[in-house]
Each structure stands twice: as structure tokens, then as C-alpha cells.
Amino acid sequence: MDEVYVLYRDRPEWKDVQPVPQDDGPYPVVQIAYSEKFRDCYDYFRAILKSDERSERAFKLTADAIDLNTANYTAWHYRRILLADLKKDIREEIKFVNAVIAETPKNYQVWHHRQVLLERLNEPADVLELTAKVLDDDAKNYHAWQHRQWGIQCFKLWEHELEFVDKLIRVDLRNNSAWNQRHFVVKRTTGFTDPVIERELLYTTSFIRRAPNNESAWNYLQGIMSERNLRDFPNVKVFCDELLSGSIRSPFLLALQVDIAEDEATAGDQAAIDRGIEICTALATKDDTIRRNYWSYRQRRFEALRQGQAS
């Protein structure tokens, strides 16, 4: 049977504390209709903040305050102060915070609290396992990805991360967060050396062939190519031509061709200017009309290059 909740004002051990009501000013506008339980708990929480009480009962009170509002930064901050002062078991606190994450996985404060705990513990604990579990429920949870990236960097947990990311991409090749993580890992481990670039190009183009309108893979491809001049990737240009010859008119494919053409045009290739203008016209009028103004702007840039070369 569940324990009956008792308001703080009715608890004998809190009789010595004068609660501090919330001050909304003399003329409150659109007051929040707090429940009696919420108002009671936070009146006592404000009281211990005011007196700076460092006790076991204050620590327990922060748990109730957090349960009522997991996004309350002050409650988490004061709990961290008490954790240190009372020399609480950090591993037990990690269990507490993991339970909160299970209920509110998109709460910044709880993830920050967890990071501070691992910093104090100076070990990764279950950072990979927990974030993998959260990402299994929501593969694009920004907070989980941020926490995972921090943990990997802080504790040097790079070894199997590419394998983890590869599994996510194979489950959902449109998972832009997983593609971003792949770039994050490669950039900070091997770096984009020539052999790595070749490997990553083969990897990425294989997924583009499966889903030519998948923006995530195209963005990753451009991220790889940004490590060099775009004209230094003739094999990518051939790949794009193959897709076009197969009647694929993906706006992301055409956009990359525009970027390549502009890079070649700035190096003095007149034919690239003509090609860039042609593709921009197609994008503005047929293939990506929602961004027609942008493609018209890009077309004018090619025309300016033409005029500059002619003068």
C-alpha cells in the first residue's frame, strides 16, 4: 500500500520552520493555480533556502520539490550543495537522477545534474548504457546526445562509438542526429584524412543510393567535402551525374552540384558557370520552388562571376 503523503505544515518535524509564501507582488497578473501540495512544499523549500539549512530533512525536501517540478533549477542546485555538505553517496544519487530521466528525458536540469555527479565521481558510470536506452526510445533526444558526447570526450569512450552510430543509421537512415554523431566521432578521433574521407564517401553514397531524398546523408556528404575544395572530389561529381542520368532530381543532389560548380567557377572554369546557372534555374522553377528566391540569388552570383571573368 502506498504511503499517504502528509503536507509539510502537518509534519511534526517541520514545526520549527516558518514557511515562506511565494511573493507575486501586490497586483499579480495571471496567477498560476498551484495545487495545495505544490504551494505547501515550495513554501517550505523557500524557507530552508532563506535560512540556508544543510540537513537531511532539507535534502529529502528537495526530492519532493523536484518531483513537483523537475525543471526547477534552484531545487537541483540546492540539492547539489546538500549532496556535498552531507557527503551523500553519489552512486545512490545517480540512481535517483536516472529515475527522473526515465520520467522526464527532455529536461535540461536533470541532465546537467547528472553531468555534475559524474564529474564529482570522476568516472563514466553508465553514461553509454543510459543514453543508449534513452535514444532507443527517442533517437533524436538532444539532451541525451549532448550528455553522451560530453561523456565520450571526458572519459575517452571513443572505441565502439562508430559501431553504435552505424546501428542507428541502419535502423533509420534519416536519423540526422546519428549522422551528426558520426561526424563528431570521426572529427575527434582519426580526423578526415584521405583514407578516412574515401571510406566515409563510400559509406555515405551507399545510403544516398537507397534514399536519394534523404537530406541527412547529403548534409553529411557535404560535411566530408568541406574538409577540402569541392573540386577535389571528382568521384562525387561522377556519382551525382550517375544519379541524374537515372532520372533522380533530388533538390539535395542538385544543390551539391551548384556548390561544386561554384567552387570550379571561382577557379576559372567557364563551363562551370554555365552549368551552375542552368541548375539554379531548374531549382528555382521546378525542383525546389519553395526556395526560388535563394536559387535566384545563387544564379546571380554565377552571373557576377561570368561578368568578372569577361572584364
Side-chain angles (χ1 to χ4, degrees):
M1 184 175 180
D2 293 339
E3 184 178 343
V4 177
Y5 183 86
V6 179
L7 295 175
Y8 278 84
R9 66 170 180 255
D10 297 328
R11 300 184 187 187
E13 67 272 25
W14 285 91
K15 289 300 182 183
D16 61 309
V17 176
Q18 180 63 40
V20 177
Q22 179 167 306
D23 183 4
D24 290 326
Y27 306 107
V29 178
V30 194
Q31 275 188 301
I32 298 174
Y34 296 116
S35 68
E36 184 180 25
K37 179 180 178 181
F38 187 99
R39 191 181 300 277
D40 171 76
C41 179
Y42 273 88
D43 285 355
Y44 279 84
F45 178 61
R46 280 184 288 272
I48 64 167
L49 279 178
K50 185 177 180 180
S51 64
D52 195 26
E53 179 178 325
R54 312 286 179 92
S55 66
E56 186 65 30
R57 70 175 183 178
F59 183 72
K60 291 178 180 178
L61 173 56
T62 62
D64 282 338
I66 287 167
D67 182 55
L68 290 166
N69 181 6
T70 54
N72 189 303
Y73 175 83
T74 305
W76 286 108
H77 174 70
Y78 199 64
R79 187 174 178 87
R80 285 191 290 277
I81 291 174
L82 296 174
L83 275 166
D85 268 31
L86 302 176
K87 296 180 172 52
K88 304 295 287 186
D89 186 340
I90 293 179
R91 296 185 189 281
E92 286 301 311
E93 184 67 6
I94 289 174
K95 292 178 183 178
F96 169 79
V97 85
N98 286 0
V100 177
I101 287 173
E103 295 296 322
T104 58
K106 291 188 175 181
N107 180 329
Y108 168 78
Q109 282 77 13
V110 66
W111 287 104
H112 174 67
H113 186 74
R114 194 178 197 281
Q115 179 174 324
V116 173
L117 295 178
L118 297 187
E119 287 172 343
R120 291 181 182 180
L121 194 62
N122 196 29
E123 64 176 65
D126 58 347
V127 64
L128 295 183
E129 293 81 4
L130 175 74
T131 53
K133 182 178 179 180
V134 172
L135 293 170
D136 188 51
D137 292 332
D138 179 2
K140 299 181 181 181
N141 184 319
Y142 168 81
H143 304 286
W145 279 117
Q146 184 275 332
H147 190 68
R148 188 177 182 91
Q149 287 188 351
W150 167 81
I152 288 171
Q153 287 189 102
C154 185
F155 300 108
K156 313 300 181 189
L157 305 174
W158 303 101
E159 186 177 0
H160 301 294
E161 190 62 10
L162 273 187
E163 297 172 25
F164 173 76
V165 170
D166 179 57
K167 290 177 182 177
L168 291 182
I169 291 173
R170 292 186 186 281
V171 168
D172 176 12
L173 51 78
R174 291 176 174 81
N175 185 343
N176 54 295
S177 298
W179 284 103
N180 178 73
Q181 182 75 350
R182 188 174 184 91
H183 191 278
F184 170 82
V185 174
V186 173
K187 184 81 172 178
R188 289 161 180 78
T189 52
T190 59
F192 284 95
T193 61
D194 288 343
V196 171
I197 286 177
E198 183 177 355
R199 181 197 72 194
E200 293 302 294
L201 287 176
L202 289 171
Y203 181 86
T204 309
T205 53
S206 70
F207 283 98
I208 290 175
R209 289 183 189 280
R210 291 168 55 186
N213 284 306
N214 174 19
E215 186 175 6
S216 299
W218 284 107
N219 285 342
Y220 185 76
L221 180 62
Q222 288 202 314
I224 299 170
M225 297 174 70
S226 68
E227 301 291 327
R228 306 281 191 277
N229 292 317
L230 297 184
R231 58 183 175 274
D232 294 337
F233 295 91
N235 51 339
V236 173
K237 189 175 178 180
V238 171
F239 169 72
C240 291
D241 290 339
E242 287 178 1
L243 293 181
L244 278 174
S245 66
S247 300
I248 293 173
R249 301 288 298 182
S250 165
F252 312 116
L253 160 63
L254 297 174
L256 178 57
Q257 288 205 307
V258 169
D259 291 339
I260 294 173
E262 185 171 32
D263 189 55
E264 292 173 338
T266 55
D269 187 338
Q270 179 65 40
I273 294 177
D274 296 334
R275 187 168 63 254
I277 291 173
E278 179 184 352
I279 300 171
C280 285
T281 301
L283 282 162
T285 59
K286 181 175 62 176
D287 296 298
D288 194 20
T289 56
I290 196 169
R291 287 187 282 266
R292 64 169 62 88
N293 290 338
Y294 172 71
W295 295 119
S296 295
Y297 160 73
R298 293 293 298 273
Q299 181 177 331
R300 291 193 296 273
R301 285 174 51 162
F302 280 104
E303 292 167 350
L305 282 171
R306 174 187 282 167
Q307 291 174 2
Q309 290 182 10
S311 60

